[in-house]
Amino acid sequence: MPLQFIGIDPDTGKNGSPTAWVDPETADIVIQSYTADDGTRTQCIETPAPGHAPGIPDHESVIRIPARLIPVLREACDAAERAQL
């Protein structure tokens, strides 16, 4: 089943834009957004989650989601919850 498009950064142009989808089969939220810069990645490494080793695993990425995408993410969360019902 294809991903369910939820929304796109309202201030974006036609190329490269933060976007949110929901996978209706798994209820996962899928995000396309800006790759975090080196400073942000360093901050993530230096501030690990409690109980976790520092670092970013090779199979994970750090992305930055613009605040203006928050309404889209709320909608994505609602869609993900509905998919789990």
Side-chain angles (χ1 to χ4, degrees):
M1 184 177 285
L3 296 176
Q4 175 188 351
F5 170 78
I6 300 298
I8 194 166
D9 179 344
D11 290 349
T12 192
K14 298 278 184 186
N15 296 316
S17 42
T19 306
W21 298 266
V22 169
D23 183 329
E25 292 182 17
T26 64
D28 289 348
I29 296 172
V30 179
I31 302 291
Q32 171 188 323
S33 193
Y34 308 112
T35 301
D37 61 21
D38 288 339
T40 300
R41 291 177 54 83
T42 298
Q43 289 179 19
C44 291
I45 291 167
E46 292 175 349
T47 314
H52 288 258
I56 302 166
D58 290 340
H59 65 280
E60 294 183 0
S61 296
V62 175
I63 62 169
R64 210 175 250 283
I65 299 170
R68 60 187 176 267
L69 200 63
I70 290 171
V72 172
L73 293 179
R74 284 192 184 110
E75 186 177 340
C77 290
D78 291 344
E81 284 181 341
R82 286 191 299 271
Q84 290 180 321
L85 299 178

